[in-house]
Amino acid sequence: GLKGEPLPLWWTSDFINADPGKPGTPCTIDKWIVGEFNCSCVGVSKCLPACATKDTPNAGFYDIPTPDLMEAIYLGSLMGQKALAILQAKKGGF
């Protein structure tokens, strides 16, 4: 595996609605399942300059241009806030 490798900065998962109901009919109960886990996030593509490649093996966080970094921080914070609100509503708070 990945012994000795750093953990990816971002993890995502793809959710699939397992109970979509009949077309055009509103669902009364949504049942979501995880389709896959990823260690990259298409939604934060502004951060691609931080991804190490064969040509840029030492790429990192500070290689992201400032305007892109600001947008990524905004999006990441917004996603975190939404996720936390969902968890708190589901679990009754922390």
Side-chain angles (χ1 to χ4, degrees):
L2 299 173
K3 186 176 180 181
E5 293 294 320
L7 291 175
L9 187 57
W10 289 286
W11 286 86
T12 63
S13 59
D14 295 337
F15 288 88
I16 300 168
N17 190 343
D19 186 23
K22 295 179 181 178
T25 304
C27 293
T28 55
I29 299 174
D30 286 333
K31 180 179 178 183
W32 294 88
I33 59 172
V34 174
E36 65 180 327
F37 290 100
N38 303 295
C39 59
S40 63
C41 184
V42 176
V44 193
S45 58
K46 299 285 186 181
C47 296
L48 288 176
C51 294
T53 67
K54 182 179 177 182
D55 295 329
T56 58
N58 297 315
F61 184 79
Y62 296 106
D63 292 313
I64 304 169
T66 301
D68 292 345
L69 182 58
M70 298 304 292
E71 186 174 344
I73 289 171
Y74 169 77
L75 289 173
S77 296
L78 181 61
M79 287 185 276
Q81 290 169 9
K82 297 293 183 181
L84 181 59
I86 291 168
L87 289 172
Q88 287 176 329
K90 191 74 171 170
K91 300 284 184 185
F94 289 101

